[in-house]
Amino acid sequence: PPDTPADFSCHTQDMKIVTCTWNQGGDTYLYGRRSPKYTLSEEFSQKTVLCTVSCAEQCSCSWDIGQQRIFNITVTVENPLGKETAMDAFDVTHRIYPAAPFQLQEECTDTEITLYWKHQNKGIELFCQTEVLQPDGKIELRNSSNMHLHYGSIALGGLQPFTEYTLRVRCGAAKHFWIWSEWSETLTIRTKEASPSGKLDIWREITPVFGGRNVTLFWKQGSSFRTNGRIISYEVTWEKVDDGSEPESISISSVYNSTRISIDNHPCRISVMAKNYVGYSLPSVLIIPRDTGNSRSIFSIKELKEEQVNGTDDGIFISWEPRHTYDSYIIDWCNFPMLQPCDLQWKRFGPNTSSALINSAAFVPGVRYNFRIYGSVADAAFLLEKKTGYLRELPPLPDPTVEKVELSFNAVTLSWDSYSANESQPGFVRGYHVYVSPIEEDCNLKGSKKHVLPDDSVLCKYTIENPEERRYTVKHLLPNKKYKLAVKAYSGGGETPIINFIYIDTPLNSNMLYLVALLVIVPAVAAALCRWRLKWVKEHCCPVIPSPNKSKVLSFKEFKVRSLKI
């Protein structure tokens, strides 16, 4: 059998024609003469409704209302396998489904749009709703009952100047509301321009020069500032505060957000306004105090000691000591401190704030960022503190170069005086490590710590915690021995791996040579002297008695007397 007609419902758009719709259900796989047949009947009039049923995505059937207002409609679906019915009883005045509004038109000012549209539901009191799509994606619905015979309208106030809004309208019966009509086509409207509202956020950088100061002005659009149109220029005006001289002014193209002016050492009032085709914004004012030669707002930046601060994954945390004399605080920094211009940035904070997390998409590990904290009162700013830090420290580069080696038989002194630990380093240099080891041996020197390399060889490690110290003496070495040494700088980001060594040979111990001389040479010389002296004494005190046989006294010719040899 066929499926029961689903979602059977009837309505009217103009109180002249009733249309009933339903879903025909699943496929019965019966075609031709056996396909489902639909008929509609009305119970109160006991008549079959004369309408032509058409089925596409949904089945529908329409007929003239006539004078009848209350209906009880039955739809019957029948095929050779059976039939099913569905019913809908209704008062036609309660089933008004208006046609969608059309031909939307508008009139607008800088803050209001009046929207007009036409409708086909003449003689029916309608209640309409306008959807306002704002630039940030938020949707606002506004209701209207201001309907005329042929058209409707609504005044949409409280809008922003020079802003695009996308609008569409739908309507329902004001009496016995049943269902909204379909939405009209959308209409996108831009409100008219108005003078810029609010003030620009302005800041300055002051550089002392001969006879005065150069002031570089910066400006940006703060959260309370609205252009309300196309900005065509920025008007910069400056004048001395104390002598009533004529102000000077320049106009800067809208493509720029900074300019430089020159002033003398008198206090100066500077204002910046944004201009569009309608008018000007309110002036943003800065007071540059008098230069007294020691003005903390300008020239004493170097007198304040920089405090090191730590970075996190989310930014660099800055805190300062609050002072009750200021009505706001300003922190400025450079996004690219190694470049010129450095892309100066600034941020303002209220009087009850004493810390902030500064973040920027330009922040990268291994770059030192310098922050200056100012207190502001009566449009004048005064330098209070300086901070410096990294988003994340990296190991120092390059390694210290050992420039001088002083050797003794049991110690070596290394010097690296020219090593730079300034802000070009990718981390704060907090000290140095000196590594030493005998060649092809593990090290175990007194006063050192063991450091194991990736190849499992062991070095002796000495730590210098003062980054200003650039000289160190390694003691307790052995004489006449080969050693390898390395010096590494370390920061909060650690140190780079040990790759290069320097090699030394300790000399022999000179004290040992002296001892050898005393124990060997001196006794030998003394023995020689003693032998010579003994010979001399013997010759002079105990002379040798000559042999008579060798004496020349008896050296005469022999002769005989009576056969005797004389």
Side-chain angles (χ1 to χ4, degrees), residues 128 177 189 206 209 259 290 315 329 391 469 471 493 499 507 529 549:
C128 295
F177 177 85
I189 306 168
I206 305 172
V209 295
T259 191
R290 180 189 303 274
Y329 298 97
L391 184 68
E469 183 65 44
R471 180 183 176 90
I499 298 176
L529 288 174
N549 292 329

Side-chain angles (χ1 to χ4, degrees), residues 164-450:
E164 278 193 352
Y165 296 91
T166 299
L167 311 175
R168 61 179 183 172
V169 183
R170 64 182 179 180
C171 297
K175 295 180 178 179
H176 312 299
F177 177 85
W178 180 58
I179 195 171
W180 288 111
S181 71
E182 296 295 325
W183 286 107
S184 68
E185 293 184 352
T186 60
L187 180 65
T188 299
I189 306 168
R190 182 186 290 275
T191 52
K192 295 184 180 300
E193 292 191 44
S195 297
S197 58
K199 298 180 181 181
L200 293 168
D201 185 358
I202 65 173
W203 188 233
R204 84 295 182 272
E205 191 170 40
I206 305 172
T207 305
V209 295
F210 181 75
R213 296 163 287 179
N214 285 337
V215 180
T216 303
L217 295 170
F218 303 88
W219 54 84
K220 61 184 178 181
Q221 299 177 10
S223 58
S224 62
F225 180 84
R226 290 190 58 86
T227 61
N228 294 337
R230 294 181 179 90
I231 298 298
I232 57 177
S233 66
Y234 297 99
E235 308 301 313
V236 180
T237 304
W238 65 99
E239 60 183 336
K240 294 180 183 179
V241 174
D242 53 2
D243 66 355
S245 59
E246 287 294 321
E248 300 179 69
S249 63
I250 54 174
S251 181
I252 307 298
S253 169
S254 61
V255 300
Y256 300 104
N257 65 349
S258 67
T259 191
R260 176 180 291 179
I261 63 173
S262 296
I263 62 174
D264 58 20
N265 294 323
H266 290 84
C268 183
R269 181 184 184 273
I270 302 173
S271 67
V272 182
M273 296 185 295
K275 178 184 178 182
N276 65 12
Y277 288 105
V278 177
Y280 297 88
S281 68
L282 295 173
S284 300
V285 177
L286 277 177
I287 302 296
I288 308 299
R290 180 189 303 274
D291 172 23
T292 60
N294 58 1
S295 173
R296 194 170 218 194
S297 62
I298 306 172
F299 297 103
S300 66
I301 290 178
K302 293 184 178 179
E303 298 175 7
L304 291 174
K305 184 178 179 181
E306 281 186 332
E307 179 185 343
Q308 294 182 4
V309 292
N310 298 320
T312 68
D313 292 338
D314 300 321
I316 300 175
F317 184 76
I318 306 293
S319 63
W320 60 91
E321 180 185 347
R323 282 87 163 173
H324 299 297
T325 54
Y326 300 107
D327 52 31
S328 66
Y329 298 97
I330 303 101
I331 299 178
D332 72 4
W333 71 92
C334 285
N335 267 344
F336 305 100
M338 306 305 292
L339 301 179
Q340 284 298 329
C342 69
D343 188 20
L344 183 71
Q345 301 291 315
W346 70 96
K347 198 168 183 180
R348 297 180 181 273
F349 302 91
N352 299 322
T353 304
S354 60
S355 65
L357 185 66
I358 305 298
N359 50 37
S360 168
F363 285 173
V364 295
V367 174
R368 184 183 297 187
Y369 299 97
N370 299 315
F371 301 88
R372 293 176 295 191
I373 303 167
Y374 295 83
S376 177
V377 59
D379 298 322
F382 301 89
L383 181 65
L384 304 178
E385 300 179 27
K386 294 199 301 179
K387 313 284 184 176
T388 184
Y390 298 82
L391 184 68
R392 186 175 75 248
E393 293 186 61
L394 299 178
L397 287 172
D399 291 338
T401 300
V402 177
E403 300 157 350
K404 187 177 180 181
V405 178
E406 300 174 14
L407 274 173
S408 67
F409 71 91
N410 68 343
V412 59
T413 299
L414 307 175
S415 301
W416 53 96
D417 294 331
S418 65
Y419 186 71
S420 175
N422 60 21
E423 62 185 20
S424 64
Q425 288 286 359
F428 295 117
V429 176
R430 304 180 188 276
Y432 305 92
H433 289 140
V434 177
Y435 298 93
V436 61
S437 177
I439 301 296
E440 297 180 354
E441 295 182 28
D442 290 343
C443 183
N444 191 16
L445 295 178
K446 182 180 179 182
S448 67
K449 293 183 178 180
K450 288 185 177 181

Side-chain angles (χ1 to χ4, degrees), residues 118-145:
K118 291 184 178 181
H119 60 83
Q120 297 176 346
N121 307 92
K122 300 174 183 178
I124 300 175
E125 186 178 355
L126 297 178
F127 172 78
C128 295
Q129 190 174 68
T130 301
E131 179 187 81
V132 182
L133 176 61
Q134 304 189 40
D136 59 3
K138 293 182 179 179
I139 293 177
E140 182 182 358
L141 295 175
R142 300 200 186 185
N143 297 327
S144 170
S145 58

